[in-house]
Amino acid sequence: MGILLAVGLPLGRYFAQQHTHPLNATEEYVQSRTENDPINIIVLVNHIVHDSLESKASDIHIEPWENYSGVRTRVNGILSELAILPLEYHEKICARIKVMANLASHEKDVPQDGKAALEGEEYAGVQLRVSVFPTVRGEKIVMRIFDPRARTFDMASLGFDAETLSRYTGILGKPNGLILLTGPTGSGKTTAIYASLGYLLEKYQNTLSIASVEDPVEQSLMWVNQSSLNPAREYTYIAALRSLLRQDPNVIMIGEIRDMETASIAVTAGMTGHLVISTLHSGSTSGVFARMINMGLEPFLLASTIIGVIGIRLVRLNCQYCLEPYTPEDYALHHLEVATSKEFVEEQLNNNRFLKGLGCEACHHTGFGGRGSVTELLPMSEAVRQAVLQKRPTREIQERAAESGMRTLWDNALQRVLEGKTTLEEIMRKIAADVV
Ligand SMILES: [Zn+2]
């Protein structure tokens, strides 16, 4: 009886307060229930997942708040509300999701992790990685969505500018050496690596032997021997790579270089006839060398093995359906003035070069539609190599790279802004903070 009485009035109030846009399927479903046709939790959870997939969300958060159960989704990196439900459904929703992920439904005070595959042809291949976390108000569930339909590992889809793309594919065509990708978590490094492997597969078909060691494997790739680490059984990057080198690979993908031993094996593999692609946590592309020298690697090994470093950031792209000229905020204009000149900024303003999405149905009133990467490709020119050999400071390596023709992250991001692809504030948020 509790469920029946909760529907109607209270929900109407929640929605009236929270939403100005049309209801999504979850809200419509909940609002249209009656005493004779009450909420079916299985259908409700299906609606939540369906709405999330529709909006191309990467994660679904279901949280026990003080007075209700909140459902939020992360779209283009930003959390936003999907639905607000009466608190009494919360436990039932959690129980349903735990059944989907084969978790122990009766356990409510310990963290649990599992996977759920969605039923139905339309969801073929879609997987949810379910994480249950006990909070003082009840369980919080986060589901990471793996939707193979939404992912393409096509180099063109990465949003590289034409010049960077052709230089990068040139580097990928080399038979040996080490390629490093840098960027913060969630910057699209893994997607870029998968796209790189996809490019090699397309170009060389099955004449190449490609192997990967990942923590864990995120997407399965045909023709790649992928292996997931298992630290509990001492199956670490080091153990995996030692064994892998005896497997006669041409190309080796290492999920992440975190320590001296992994770095050292990566460099050795790159020197001995393998093309190695990996990621390294570093604020900037030129900072990669100092980072690896600090790990204990010799500068001459780095100078002779590293063939390219890519810095990558994801930015939200303007919605194409509600694009309008606008005047960016003062702080952003001021920053741009310092980086360029007052005249430059005035000229862009006079020519309406700054554009943003005002918000429409197509972009769920966010002004943004999808994301694209902004990159910089640090070339291993002779000048850069010499600076690395002489252990010059990161700033100097950056300067030498710029003199050798490197278009910096900031240059590339600003170009995106002036093309109307994104906003000045967005690149300030994602790029200026750690680059300029
Ligand atoms: Zn729009």
Side-chain angles (χ1 to χ4, degrees):
M1 206 53 196
I3 294 179
L4 305 184
L5 292 174
V7 185
L9 282 178
L11 280 179
R13 201 189 67 228
Y14 291 133
F15 292 147
Q17 278 176 355
Q18 300 289 334
H19 292 280
T20 49
H21 62 80
L23 298 185
N24 54 42
T26 304
E27 293 165 324
E28 227 167 58
Y29 173 72
V30 173
Q31 279 209 336
S32 64
R33 291 310 91 196
T34 61
E35 198 162 331
N36 295 326
D37 187 11
I39 281 189
N40 175 319
I41 292 293
I42 295 177
V43 177
L44 176 63
V45 170
N46 286 351
H47 275 303
I48 292 172
V49 172
H50 178 82
D51 277 340
S52 307
L53 284 168
E54 280 286 291
S55 63
K56 307 230 181 308
S58 59
D59 304 81
I60 310 171
H61 293 230
I62 301 176
E63 303 160 278
W65 292 339
E66 193 71 36
N67 299 315
Y68 31 79
S69 176
V71 183
R72 295 191 290 171
T73 54
R74 191 176 292 284
V75 179
N76 293 331
I78 305 281
L79 269 180
S80 66
E81 196 179 284
L82 181 80
I84 287 178
L85 305 168
L87 192 56
E88 58 190 291
Y89 296 137
H90 189 78
E91 241 180 77
K92 297 186 180 77
I93 293 171
C94 291
R96 165 63 189 157
I97 293 169
K98 282 154 85 178
V99 167
M100 288 165 69
N102 284 320
L103 299 175
S105 309
H106 57 280
E107 296 265 27
K108 287 178 184 155
D109 47 9
V110 290
Q112 294 193 64
D113 294 295
K115 272 184 189 170
L118 295 184
E119 288 166 16
E121 241 171 64
E122 55 183 315
Y123 297 129
V126 180
Q127 273 218 338
L128 303 173
R129 192 167 74 201
V130 179
S131 156
V132 185
F133 184 76
T135 78
V136 290
R137 285 200 288 264
E139 289 174 307
K140 169 173 176 175
I141 289 192
V142 173
M143 294 187 277
R144 166 64 56 91
I145 300 173
F146 291 98
D147 186 351
R149 303 164 310 170
R151 285 239 180 150
T152 50
F153 298 119
D154 171 13
M155 291 286 281
S157 71
L158 290 180
F160 286 115
D161 62 276
E163 194 192 324
T164 309
L165 184 63
S166 99
R167 276 164 56 212
Y168 183 52
T169 50
I171 293 173
L172 276 178
K174 297 197 174 180
N176 55 283
L178 174 59
I179 298 173
L180 290 169
L181 283 90
T182 71
T185 307
S187 59
K189 295 188 296 266
T190 308
T191 310
I193 289 199
Y194 281 174
S196 307
L197 298 182
Y199 168 82
L200 290 172
L201 286 168
E202 198 173 293
K203 188 162 179 197
Y204 299 101
Q205 307 282 322
N206 56 359
T207 61
L208 276 186
S209 165
I210 305 184
S212 83
V213 189
E214 303 169 61
D215 184 21
V217 168
E218 286 183 25
Q219 286 282 314
S220 100
L221 298 174
M222 235 187 8
W223 294 107
V224 176
N225 305 297
Q226 293 172 287
S227 186
S228 270
L229 295 188
N230 187 352
R233 303 205 52 196
E234 292 184 2
Y235 185 52
T236 59
Y237 274 124
I238 298 148
L241 288 168
R242 282 202 186 116
S243 164
L244 195 57
L245 285 174
R246 290 189 286 271
Q247 289 269 316
D248 187 29
N250 298 104
V251 180
I252 302 172
M253 187 272 239
I254 303 171
E256 190 186 359
I257 292 178
R258 294 179 193 147
D259 52 54
M260 164 69 182
E261 269 186 294
T262 311
S264 162
I265 295 178
V267 167
T268 308
M271 275 181 7
T272 53
H274 308 92
L275 182 70
V276 182
I277 309 179
S278 187
T279 69
L280 184 80
H281 196 82
S282 162
S284 64
T285 50
S286 42
V288 157
F289 304 97
R291 178 85 210 285
M292 292 183 87
I293 289 169
N294 283 340
M295 282 180 178
L297 284 143
E298 291 293 339
F300 77 91
L301 288 178
L302 301 178
S304 57
T305 314
I306 295 178
I307 53 176
V309 184
I310 286 199
I312 187 162
R313 302 285 188 282
L314 274 184
V315 295
R316 288 176 295 167
L317 300 177
N318 287 332
C319 169
Q320 294 305 303
Y321 298 100
C322 55
L323 209 53
E324 291 280 348
Y326 82 113
T327 303
E329 289 181 39
D330 285 346
Y331 80 94
L333 286 176
H334 177 72
H335 181 94
L336 184 56
E337 248 180 57
V338 174
T340 58
S341 70
K342 205 173 168 65
E343 292 71 38
F344 178 85
V345 173
E346 265 167 21
E347 194 189 323
Q348 310 312 316
L349 281 170
N350 291 337
N351 292 326
N352 285 332
R353 293 290 292 276
F354 299 110
L355 302 179
K356 81 186 258 190
L358 295 185
C360 67
E361 296 247 319
C363 60
H364 301 276
H365 302 267
T366 59
F368 292 102
R371 288 190 291 182
S373 53
V374 172
T375 54
E376 80 179 16
L377 174 58
L378 182 135
M380 286 303 284
S381 64
E382 195 46 41
V384 171
R385 214 168 270 131
Q386 285 303 324
V388 173
L389 277 172
Q390 294 160 15
K391 288 205 204 179
R392 305 304 301 162
T394 295
R395 183 178 34 80
E396 196 177 319
I397 295 175
Q398 170 89 10
E399 281 165 17
R400 302 267 183 99
E403 285 159 21
S404 309
M406 175 173 82
R407 282 179 57 105
T408 64
L409 271 175
W410 171 256
D411 294 339
N412 283 326
L414 184 57
Q415 186 182 334
R416 288 298 187 96
V417 170
L418 299 178
E419 288 166 356
K421 297 270 169 54
T422 187
T423 65
L424 188 59
E425 287 83 355
E426 177 72 0
I427 70 162
M428 291 290 299
R429 199 169 74 84
K430 285 296 184 63
I431 288 154
D434 53 2
V435 175
V436 181

